[in-house]
Amino acid sequence: MQRRPLLAGNWKMYTTLTEAKALAEAIVAASSDVSDRDVMIAPPYTALAQVSDVLRGSSVLLASQNICWEEKGAFTGEISPVMLKELSGSLAIIGHSERRHVFGESNVLINRRVHGALRFGIIPVFCVGETLDQREDGKTMAVLEEQVNEGLRDVVLAGPEQLVLAYEPVWAIGTGKTATVDQAQEAHVFLRKTLAGLYEKNIASQMRILYGGSVNPDNVDALMAQDDIDGVLVGGA
């Protein structure tokens, strides 16, 4: 089975309601005749309902930028899987480097979020990646292995479509620096091998692995041409 490319846009803490509606409308129009790949957008929470209305009837997928592990409760500032599903959201970004390094989310917490999303039928876009110091110290693969193993601890998958993995080297996010094509492909190959140690061959070989980190129109084609890069997680561009 050929892996279907996924182009995902993380809007982070950008767009007012008016801006979000206009951007979503532009994306729907631009992707109306696209049939060979999936397109996903993750607007801020305040715009989810407005964007959901714009996406209705289109093929563009709606995601949240994070997800709680509980249906409801005293979790100030969180969004539950049920709230997202009510808006026709089907995916959630989990473990983004900004959540890890700005807000201090641990592998244990990220693992809870992955479990919670899957329990309610939400597809995690599970992010992993190393810092510049870790890369320069030669620890990239060790960091990725730990993040995957801990983040997916006790996570049972029935098929590769239930989870998307995203490799985003922290040193390349929003900095204008991009991993070379060879660096990105090397990390993706390693991640697929790591998945093979956790799941059966079909899941490891068919799970989509995205690259994120200063992706732009000038480098996206070269990245997407690599055998193990199945799409991109785009921020600024």
Side-chain angles (χ1 to χ4, degrees):
M1 184 180 77
Q2 186 176 7
R3 296 187 298 269
R4 182 176 172 84
L6 171 61
L7 304 183
N10 176 15
W11 296 7
K12 305 191 179 186
M13 199 175 71
Y14 293 100
T15 68
T16 62
L17 286 180
T18 300
E19 293 167 342
K21 182 175 182 291
L23 181 54
E25 288 173 343
I27 290 171
V28 168
S31 60
S32 61
D33 59 350
V34 173
S35 60
D36 62 344
R37 66 201 64 193
D38 291 327
V39 176
M40 181 203 97
I41 55 177
Y45 296 148
T46 53
L48 280 171
Q50 184 110 359
V51 171
S52 176
D53 288 341
V54 173
L55 300 189
R56 189 171 292 116
S58 78
S59 61
V60 179
L61 304 170
L62 180 65
S64 65
Q65 295 180 16
N66 209 347
I67 203 79
C68 191
W69 52 91
E70 294 289 351
E71 177 180 356
K72 57 186 176 181
F75 299 99
T76 301
E78 294 285 341
I79 183 171
S80 86
V82 173
M83 294 173 182
L84 181 61
K85 291 188 75 172
E86 188 176 31
L87 297 172
S88 300
S90 56
L91 304 98
I93 299 172
I94 299 175
H96 190 280
S97 66
E98 289 156 10
R99 299 305 313 177
R100 292 177 185 270
H101 298 287
V102 178
F103 297 99
E105 293 199 5
S106 66
N107 286 327
V108 173
L109 178 57
I110 289 164
N111 176 252
R112 293 183 73 182
R113 295 189 188 281
V114 172
H115 277 281
L118 290 169
R119 188 165 67 251
F120 289 94
I122 300 294
I123 299 171
V125 180
F126 170 51
C127 302
V128 297
E130 82 282 8
T131 64
L132 181 58
D133 287 344
Q134 289 167 338
R135 172 163 282 275
E136 291 181 341
D137 289 343
K139 298 178 180 178
T140 294
M141 302 314 175
V143 169
L144 296 182
E145 185 174 30
E146 179 183 6
Q147 290 177 344
V148 170
N149 287 336
E150 294 299 316
L152 297 181
R153 182 177 293 278
D154 299 324
V155 171
V156 178
L157 299 175
E161 72 284 347
Q162 286 190 296
L163 187 138
V164 175
L165 187 58
Y167 169 60
E168 41 162 33
V170 180
W171 48 272
I173 298 173
T175 63
K177 299 178 181 179
T178 308
T180 66
V181 169
D182 290 341
Q183 287 173 327
Q185 170 63 7
E186 179 186 34
H188 280 236
V189 169
F190 178 80
L191 287 170
R192 205 171 295 285
K193 289 180 179 177
T194 304
L195 289 171
L198 298 176
Y199 302 106
E200 64 181 53
K201 181 179 179 181
N202 178 61
I203 291 178
S205 65
Q206 296 303 321
M207 184 181 294
R208 293 186 287 191
I209 306 179
L210 313 182
Y211 172 78
S214 296
V215 178
N216 60 59
D218 294 328
N219 60 33
V220 64
D221 288 339
L223 289 165
M224 292 284 290
Q226 301 306 299
D227 290 342
D228 287 279
I229 298 179
D230 308 310
V232 288
L233 180 57
V234 186

